[in-house]
Amino acid sequence: MKLKLPRPPSPGEVFDKVRESEAWRSIFRPGSVFRKGYKDTQRDRALAAMNNVLYHLHPVKLKRHGLKLTYTFCLGGLSFFLFILLTVTGIYLMFFYRPAAELAAGQAYQDIETIRNSVVFGDMVRNIHRWGAHLMVITVFLHMGRVFYTGAYKPPREFNWVVGVILLLVTLLLAFSGYLLPWDQLSFWAFTVGTSFGQYSPPGIGPEVQFILLGGAEVGGETLLRWYVLHVLALPFVITIFLAVHFWRIRKDGGISGPL
Amino acid sequence: MVEFAENLNPETFNRVLNELLEQGVSRRVAEGRARRVAMVEYNREHGEEEAAPAAAAPSAGAGDGEAAAPAAATAPAAPAAPAGAPVAPAAVPGAIVVAPPPAAPLVAPPPTGKVPSAKPGAPDKHRLLALVPPEGVQRVEREQGDRVNTFPHLLIQELLSLIIVTAALIVFSTFVNAPLRELANPNLTPNPSKAPWYFLGLQELLRYFHPMVAGVIVPTLFFGLLFVLPYADRNPSSKPGDRKLAIVLFTMLLMFFMILTIIGAFFRGPGFNFVWPWSDGVFFDL
Ligand code: HEM
């Protein structure tokens, strides 16, 4: 008996079928590059931008000069991207890190050593997190410089500059709080120097603020726990809120400024 | 100039428009008001309470100044079509009051404190912007200018820059390890002990000023200045040639902190005393 098997569909046909399926069409809206029938026309390009989650960040069209690398140097965008990269690498590090100073002769420190020596890609991820953090501080500073030198803080963008200054502050705090977490001599003494100003500030305020920040009279286990929570939760939350306002204001202020 | 696509009375439109223009009302507002009056007139003539015939146009704008949805972008300066719904005259200061269709309620009913039930036979549609007076619609009127599509031009650029930075970071991280010193030891002060680089400018200031000045007053002033900068700089131009003073001042401020940071990072050794990095070595950790 001869069994007649149907011809198996070619990969192309399978792909076509998948793209015609309801699920696929519900994910990729009209105009999406991945939808069947996307044509490289003005209309589909506009739809691709509009029907994308990035429409929250980007307009459909932008001034041609906004593309010029020498206007923004991509610095704002890179700051944001570095923030995302730091979030991703930071989450990975969190799996292996306990913010405890007094346990087991510096649990936090031991965990960093474990990350460096035994965790898969541990030292790579830690390096990227560390260097990325320094780089983000640099790009945010440079971004501020670019905004100043292009006069992009002038009306109607005054308030977005103010939001930006808050972002700069939170970025510095994020970097500084992360500096404490390895709990090595570098962290400990940088923090001791960095928070010593409290003693000299107006009595009744300075020492009290310092006490709250350190969770005690000097840098210790409480400080580590406190700044860990700030570093992995509180500050990222705050910066995310202000980033949302920052990006929203860029759109509402009419997109990128200029040309000069 | 104006197309009478909507249901409106052309004579009324032109009459009201001219009256308003003579009064010095801006053309955009005048067109909007005239259109509304003409629509109300039209509806009255045709004896129907056809409220808000076409509120479709405003929704295309999606309320986004920058979006310039393709459809809206091609329509030359069409006033955001104020749909012909009856507008309470009070909402339009200085508008010419034309007797509205008698059936239309001009004021909202007094609050009853209860969620109102649906009126029988009420249309199951609502239209947005129907009650917005023309001058209340926020319209951004700009040259269309030389614009390009975000997709693909901007997105490609972003993707590229992010790939380059990621690659650079990975390469750098392969060759340079992040530092990890000995376990923290409160009884052993490393010499020198330095703050992270972004605070080294302040630590350097600490050598010259009282800690209160270097650690509290200067940073407060610095950020205070940054916060008020856009409100203090009243110069409207963003051309470098017109803002020499601002540029000089800001550059001096940046240079000041950059030089302090560089000194603090490379020219300070044990005891935070002055060293030459090329002969005494670099005492600086990232
Ligand atoms: C976490 C930090 C920050 C992120 C992620 C960020 C992100 C961005 C992005 C993506 C843009 C679009 C244009 C561009 O890429 O240059 C932008 C524009 C802008 N940023 Fe930031 N920014 C940050 C910090 C700051 C700071 C510190 C300032 C100023 C003190 C600032 C002020 C502005 C202003 C005024 C604009 C509008 C510029 C224009 O229209 O040309 N931002 N920002």
Side-chain angles (χ1 to χ4, degrees), chain A residues 64-257:
Chain A
R64 181 186 300 277
H65 105 97
L67 284 182
K68 239 173 72 181
L69 204 58
T70 49
Y71 191 74
T72 63
F73 295 97
C74 287
L75 285 165
L78 284 181
S79 307
F80 181 49
F81 172 65
L82 284 169
F83 175 65
I84 297 197
L85 194 70
L86 289 166
T87 309
V88 175
T89 49
I91 289 174
Y92 188 70
L93 294 175
M94 275 177 79
F95 285 127
F96 310 103
Y97 175 85
R98 278 158 287 192
E102 276 113 17
L103 283 175
Q107 184 70 61
Y109 183 80
Q110 309 302 332
D111 286 345
I112 299 283
E113 289 217 307
T114 313
I115 288 173
R116 290 183 71 174
N117 302 325
S118 337
V119 171
V120 186
F121 289 123
D123 63 343
M124 184 56 152
V125 174
R126 174 167 182 257
N127 288 350
I128 294 179
H129 195 76
R130 180 90 166 202
W131 301 134
H134 285 307
L135 188 61
M136 179 173 166
V137 176
I138 296 176
T139 55
V140 172
F141 265 120
L142 292 179
H143 171 61
M144 182 179 83
R146 152 353 239 173
V147 170
F148 177 83
Y149 286 109
T150 54
Y153 57 86
K154 308 212 165 189
R157 299 185 175 79
E158 310 100 303
F159 182 63
N160 217 13
W161 168 275
V162 174
V163 175
V165 177
I166 297 175
L167 287 174
L168 173 66
L169 270 171
V170 183
T171 306
L172 287 176
L173 282 176
L174 270 167
F176 188 54
S177 56
Y179 210 76
L180 182 67
L181 303 188
W183 202 247
D184 62 351
Q185 283 287 72
L186 214 56
S187 326
F188 186 89
W189 291 98
F191 244 70
T192 305
V193 172
T195 53
S196 63
F197 300 108
Q199 283 155 20
Y200 305 99
S201 325
I205 307 172
E208 275 66 19
V209 171
Q210 190 196 13
F211 192 88
I212 293 174
L213 292 183
L214 296 185
E218 49 202 31
V219 180
E222 300 298 330
T223 322
L224 181 57
L225 181 56
R226 213 157 270 210
W227 285 82
Y228 171 76
V229 173
L230 285 175
H231 184 75
V232 304
L233 202 68
L235 292 171
F237 174 72
V238 172
I239 205 173
T240 305
I241 301 268
F242 281 99
L243 281 176
V245 178
H246 199 58
F247 297 154
W248 173 77
R249 277 303 293 240
I250 296 173
R251 299 280 311 266
K252 291 294 157 184
D253 294 340
I256 203 83
S257 63

Side-chain angles (χ1 to χ4, degrees), chain A residues 29 44-53 55 58-60, chain B residues 60 62 67 69-70:
Chain A
R29 313 270 317 274
D44 275 7
R45 285 178 172 198
L47 282 175
M50 248 165 129
N51 285 332
N52 192 299
V53 66
Y55 194 37
H58 287 318
V60 169

